[in-house]
Amino acid sequence: MKDTTRYIQLPTILFIVTFFFSACTIFTPGISKRPKDRISLEAEKTISELKNQNFKLKTFKGVGNIKFRGSEKKDIAGRMAWVASAPDRIRIAISSVSGQPMISAASDGHWLYLISHSSGDFYKKPVTVSSMRRLFKISVKPEDMVDILAGRVPIHSYDSAVLTNMKPEIYSTEEHTVSKQNGSERSGQNGYVLVLKKKWGDIIEKIYLDEKKKNVLKVEMFDSSGSLAYRVIFDRIRAINGYRIPYRLLVSNSDGSGFHLDVDRYWADASVSKPVFVLKPPE
């Protein structure tokens, strides 16, 4: 019976972890020289403002309720605690609703670590293209997740950018309908979408903004084939130590799988030491 439980839990554990790390190198770090005439002045100004959003927030901690959903539409609910240090160090602990530890996962920028508390299994893999792709198979890189939890928009390398009007939207899932931003009804109000492209014209990212171009409502990332890699919806923004932090995040893939995170508590500018991002095999 114990072995059966172990084999049932391991796929679930690996499924959960896939939403926090990715090996896809569909996005290349760094920005090459970009022709200025391919970036509108309004888009350039908006990008600059987005890059400054919560720019000084380097370390933080949080706890909250999380619910995972697979492509088969089965939910897995639990609790999550996290600690992060920009740009790419993050540690996550996930427990059951009853408080039983399930998994611990971490990235120190060089290695990926995973501990299954139910089976006692320990994994350590270099942060390389091959190991990440074989292990996790999803396009949310550790540095992207750090940015998202910090209330920042991951902005990947691009060659052209344009800002256009969009019609009012309501972003819905079976459990959440996001129709408000910071307490103001969005219905009937126009917004904007910032589209980032590579030099050959392929869309790599869409950033949806409210009518004042101040609040980010949704971000969509695309892979090299033009397919949706993942989307993030930001909701329930709160001011924490002068930063604007989303207290609800909805992250999903093209097949509908993803997770919903509702933050209970958040500590900005938290004291964090590097060793916390290194996991060791359980004794």
Side-chain angles (χ1 to χ4, degrees):
M1 183 67 180
K2 182 177 180 180
D3 289 340
T4 301
T5 302
R6 175 174 173 176
Y7 284 113
I8 292 174
Q9 289 176 335
L10 188 55
T12 298
I13 289 167
L14 291 176
F15 161 74
I16 291 174
V17 177
T18 58
F19 293 105
F20 295 97
F21 304 101
S22 163
C24 292
T25 54
I26 54 179
F27 310 113
T28 304
I31 298 176
S32 58
K33 293 181 179 180
R34 299 166 300 174
K36 290 292 183 180
D37 58 351
R38 301 185 66 184
I39 304 173
S40 68
L41 292 177
E42 193 173 17
E44 191 168 35
K45 178 183 177 181
T46 302
I47 292 170
S48 177
E49 292 175 349
L50 289 174
K51 288 182 176 180
N52 287 328
Q53 185 174 332
N54 293 350
F55 175 74
K56 294 183 179 181
L57 180 56
K58 302 300 183 183
T59 59
F60 53 90
K61 299 177 181 179
V63 294
N65 294 315
I66 192 163
K67 182 175 289 187
F68 297 91
R69 169 159 294 188
S71 57
E72 70 282 1
K73 306 303 180 184
K74 292 183 179 179
D75 293 342
I76 302 173
R79 295 279 295 170
M80 186 177 90
W82 64 93
V83 56
S85 177
D88 56 4
R89 294 187 177 96
I90 186 169
R91 178 168 176 168
I92 295 166
I94 298 176
S95 61
S96 65
V97 176
S98 63
Q100 185 70 24
M102 295 175 63
I103 64 167
S104 294
S107 169
D108 62 0
H110 302 285
W111 296 90
L112 296 175
Y113 307 87
L114 169 66
I115 296 175
S116 165
H117 295 288
S118 59
S119 66
D121 291 333
F122 174 78
Y123 304 90
K124 178 182 177 181
K125 298 287 184 180
V127 182
T128 64
V129 175
S130 58
S131 66
M132 296 283 279
R133 182 178 294 115
R134 284 196 301 267
L135 228 57
F136 302 114
K137 307 186 190 301
I138 196 170
S139 317
V140 180
K141 301 187 293 184
E143 52 264 45
D144 283 4
M145 186 55 63
V146 171
D147 278 341
I148 291 167
L149 291 172
R152 291 189 289 263
V153 176
I155 297 179
H156 293 157
S157 174
Y158 63 94
D159 294 292
S160 65
V162 62
L163 185 70
T164 60
N165 289 98
M166 69 173 182
K167 295 180 179 180
E169 289 187 84
I170 294 179
Y171 308 119
S172 300
T173 67
E174 292 182 11
E175 297 198 30
H176 302 287
T177 298
V178 182
S179 60
K180 297 182 180 181
Q181 182 71 16
N182 300 328
S184 61
E185 186 68 42
R186 296 185 57 237
S187 178
Q189 297 177 340
N190 289 322
Y192 294 85
V193 57
L194 177 64
V195 181
L196 307 182
K197 299 180 180 181
K198 299 300 289 184
K199 59 184 178 182
W200 49 85
D202 291 341
I203 295 175
I204 60 168
E205 186 171 351
K206 288 184 178 181
I207 303 169
Y208 296 80
L209 303 153
D210 68 358
E211 72 283 354
K212 295 181 180 180
K213 293 177 286 189
K214 298 297 182 183
N215 298 312
V216 177
L217 308 175
K218 180 174 69 170
V219 175
E220 293 178 335
M221 296 291 188
F222 298 87
D223 61 24
S224 57
S225 69
S227 300
L228 179 70
Y230 71 89
R231 68 168 57 87
V232 183
I233 295 176
F234 299 88
D235 193 29
R236 296 183 179 176
I237 308 299
R238 297 187 187 180
I240 306 292
N241 290 4
Y243 305 111
R244 292 172 55 78
I245 304 300
Y247 263 55
R248 170 173 287 173
L249 290 167
L250 300 103
V251 183
S252 60
N253 293 326
S254 57
D255 64 1
S257 59
F259 68 88
H260 301 168
L261 175 64
D262 286 304
V263 179
D264 289 338
R265 299 188 66 187
Y266 194 100
W267 295 268
D269 300 320
S271 177
V272 175
S273 60
K274 289 184 179 180
V276 76
F277 303 108
V278 176
L279 301 183
K280 296 182 179 180
E283 297 180 355

